[in-house]
Amino acid sequence: MQSYLDIFKHLCTIPRPSHKEKAVADFLCQFAEEHHLSYRRNKNNCVVIESPATPGYEDKEPIVMLNHMDMVCVAEEGYAVPGPVTPIEYDEEGEHWMRADHTSLGADNGIGLSIALSILSDDTLPHPKLEVLTTTCEETDMSGAANMANDFFKGKRILNIDSEAYDEITVASAGAHIQVAHLPYKRIAMPEGYVTLSVAVAGGKGGHSGVDIGKGRANAIKILCNLLLVAIRQANIKLYIINIKGGQAYSAIPGEAQAKICIPKQDIDAFNTLIGQCNAAIEKQYSATDPDVAITSEPAVWHSSVINEEGTHLILASVNGIPVGPVTMRPDGNVETSNNIGIIDTEKNEECLISSHTRSFSTQAMNELADNISKIFTLTGATVDTIMHVSPWEEDMHHPWLSSVEDVFQDVLGFQPTPVSMHFALEAGYLVEKFPGIHIASIGPRIMYPHSPNEKVSLTTADNIMKVVREIVVRG
């Protein structure tokens, strides 16, 4: 039997951003061959590995262990986005943890996948037929699940090992709609009497745009664009954007964003005064939830061209018109509907790319908000691409599969996990429509700050989730 931790450390050596999963899919197929297990791989690199039922378990329903192979690849400023990840183990407050070296770790969903593979590698374990289903592109558009053939796997009982709260069991997830606007602009020569500045918003915690959206995290793209728009509209500074860039993933709250701008030389003092006022407002708003976020400005290398006045204004106005953070709340105090701007980038093809990620437990609310955002983009002259649309999912709370998973927690760990509805999209939204009759329970270890360079996983809780999964399999 291979330990899940050894498997995960090997996964860390394989670059696996969304849409570039060939290498990790190759690894999964090789793993199956080494353990003499059958497997299927489709054109989207989704992989199913099968282990036949052991003697005495032939009449039991199969168990499907669901995970995704891709990860959100982000890094702190000045560090390369992973490629290979460097994991670091350490102890903190009585738990054993793992993080990466200034990048995201990929415990989401690498730890769950490693647990499933470890179970497959144990040829002493009695079990019903097992199917380890590993999908692609879960972190971006869920196209792996969306385009899966409706006979790709057979089982009806699905154990999704992709949750991030150890003492909870996910029984519902929000729907999600991701759209990307492509806003064209024109460049002109830099005007006479202007100077170039580099303006940055940095120090934000970032985080998962579902899990962390209600935690008061600052959206650096929104802050930066609002600052520049206020400079134009209220301080009457006729500034031009040279370029603007922020965020690293659709599904991550951007903790950093940068812009190069040019302003009239005589307006430097007024602009710096405005930055001071904005920093004071930021400190007041985020002192408890995101205390290190701040705006800085410094002289930059002169540029020969700038985005024209109309393009500059349309970029800033479109971001200003799009909400970020919670939009409506549920009666239980959790987020019902939210939106996140994850990426802005003017570096390619004389167009500004802006992503918007809408989530909701209400299909109607999600569709209405996403449609309104699309209209804002369209009014600026942008073309809009829908990257992902997945429905909300809610499990039958009385189904025996859910009860059996809860019972194992009680028997193995001494507590019942709390059923929760999570404000992030799971592939369940696609699967329950494509595979009628399936039932899903989603569990996982404690993962903090997923989708950010601060991501870390409690290996203490991962050890316990491994015990739970093992017992679920043995009980059949």
Side-chain angles (χ1 to χ4, degrees):
M1 174 181 174
Q2 292 179 254
S3 76
Y4 80 87
L5 192 54
D6 286 343
I7 295 171
F8 179 68
K9 288 177 179 177
H10 182 75
L11 278 178
C12 287
T13 69
I14 305 173
R16 46 193 178 95
S18 303
H19 301 281
K20 296 182 180 179
E21 298 101 336
K22 180 181 181 301
V24 67
D26 289 344
F27 160 71
L28 292 173
C29 295
Q30 181 182 3
F31 181 95
E33 291 171 355
E34 289 175 351
H35 292 86
H36 309 291
L37 300 171
S38 61
Y39 65 89
R40 294 183 298 282
R41 177 179 185 170
N42 68 15
K43 64 181 181 180
N44 295 312
N45 285 317
C46 296
V47 177
V48 175
I49 304 175
E50 292 184 346
S51 180
T54 57
Y57 283 74
E58 296 91 345
D59 294 334
K60 291 183 176 291
E61 277 192 73
I63 294 174
V64 180
M65 289 183 275
L66 169 65
N67 294 279
H68 59 87
M69 65 183 78
D70 57 321
M71 64 175 280
V72 171
C73 296
V74 293
E76 292 178 2
E77 186 176 6
Y79 291 86
V81 171
V85 171
T86 303
I88 298 169
E89 295 183 53
Y90 63 101
D91 293 313
E92 183 178 79
E93 297 181 353
E95 289 190 62
H96 192 52
W97 292 84
M98 178 181 281
R99 60 176 174 82
D101 187 17
H102 301 284
T103 73
S104 49
L105 175 62
D108 173 17
N109 183 213
I111 287 289
L113 174 56
S114 299
I115 287 172
L117 294 178
S118 179
I119 293 291
L120 284 182
S121 74
D122 188 354
D123 55 13
T124 69
L125 198 67
H127 59 77
K129 179 182 178 180
L130 301 178
E131 295 176 283
V132 170
L133 170 62
T134 312
T135 61
T136 54
C137 301
E138 192 271 354
E139 297 291 11
T140 53
D141 57 12
M142 295 194 182
S143 54
N147 296 311
M148 189 181 298
N150 59 12
D151 60 352
F152 193 59
F153 66 91
K154 309 299 183 184
K156 300 294 187 182
R157 299 186 299 167
I158 297 182
L159 185 68
N160 186 31
I161 320 176
D162 188 25
S163 290
E164 292 149 1
Y166 162 66
D167 55 354
E168 296 175 350
I169 182 168
T170 303
V171 296
S173 62
H177 183 101
I178 301 176
Q179 54 191 321
V180 175
H182 303 270
L183 173 58
Y185 60 78
K186 294 181 179 179
R187 287 192 174 271
I188 60 173
M190 182 170 167
E192 293 287 337
Y194 274 64
V195 294
T196 303
L197 299 175
S198 179
V199 185
V201 178
K205 290 181 179 179
H208 190 294
S209 65
V211 175
D212 299 317
I213 202 71
K215 296 179 179 177
R217 305 281 173 84
N219 186 301
I221 293 173
K222 186 78 167 181
I223 289 174
L224 178 60
C225 289
N226 285 359
L227 164 71
L228 300 181
L229 193 62
V230 168
I232 293 172
R233 290 181 174 177
Q234 297 182 22
N236 297 313
I237 298 173
K238 192 173 181 180
L239 68 80
Y240 297 86
I241 294 173
I242 297 168
N243 56 55
I244 186 168
K245 185 177 179 66
Q248 300 180 45
Y250 300 149
S251 55
I253 301 169
E256 299 176 351
Q258 309 83 34
K260 284 188 179 179
I261 65 171
C262 71
I263 66 172
K265 188 173 182 180
Q266 67 267 22
D267 288 331
I268 290 178
D269 288 344
F271 187 70
N272 286 334
T273 297
L274 179 60
I275 288 177
Q277 293 169 346
C278 287
N279 274 329
I282 289 169
E283 182 178 3
K284 183 177 181 180
Q285 181 174 355
Y286 296 108
S287 60
T289 58
D290 213 345
D292 296 326
V293 66
I295 308 169
T296 59
S297 175
E298 60 183 22
V301 176
W302 182 84
H303 281 252
S304 60
S305 71
V306 300
I307 297 174
N308 69 4
E309 182 177 1
E310 180 185 23
T312 292
H313 187 269
L314 288 176
I315 290 169
L316 300 178
S318 62
V319 172
N320 181 67
I322 297 171
V324 297
V327 175
T328 59
M329 304 298 292
R330 308 185 86 182
D332 61 5
N334 292 314
V335 179
E336 169 81 7
T337 304
S338 72
N339 195 70
N340 180 62
I341 298 174
I343 295 176
I344 189 168
D345 192 351
T346 59
E347 289 189 351
K348 296 180 181 178
N349 302 325
E350 293 202 345
E351 66 178 24
C352 181
L353 182 152
I354 306 171
S355 75
S356 173
H357 195 325
T358 306
R359 303 176 189 266
S360 183
F361 288 102
S362 163
T363 299
Q364 180 179 348
M366 179 176 70
N367 291 343
E368 288 178 353
L369 179 56
D371 186 55
N372 288 337
I373 291 169
S374 180
K375 289 176 181 176
I376 290 171
F377 284 139
T378 302
L379 287 171
T380 67
T383 58
V384 183
D385 296 329
T386 297
I387 304 299
M388 181 181 77
H389 184 94
V390 58
S391 299
W393 154 70
E394 188 170 357
E395 183 53 62
D396 176 1
M397 295 297 294
H398 302 291
H399 195 270
W401 174 235
L402 191 62
S403 299
S404 66
V405 173
E406 292 173 330
D407 289 345
V408 171
F409 266 87
Q410 181 65 57
D411 295 344
V412 173
L413 301 180
F415 67 88
Q416 281 264 341
T418 303
V420 295
S421 301
M422 296 303 294
H423 193 72
F424 54 66
L426 289 173
E427 292 164 309
Y430 283 115
L431 298 182
V432 294
E433 293 179 350
K434 189 181 291 286
F435 300 90
I438 66 171
H439 292 275
I440 305 171
S442 187
I443 63 174
R446 182 178 296 117
I447 299 175
M448 306 291 290
Y449 316 120
H451 297 194
S452 83
N454 299 314
E455 179 186 3
K456 62 180 183 177
V457 58
S458 164
L459 297 180
T460 302
T461 61
D463 289 345
N464 285 341
I465 292 297
M466 177 70 195
K467 295 174 184 175
V468 167
V469 175
R470 183 182 177 90
E471 182 63 20
I472 289 171
V473 166
V474 170
R475 292 188 185 187

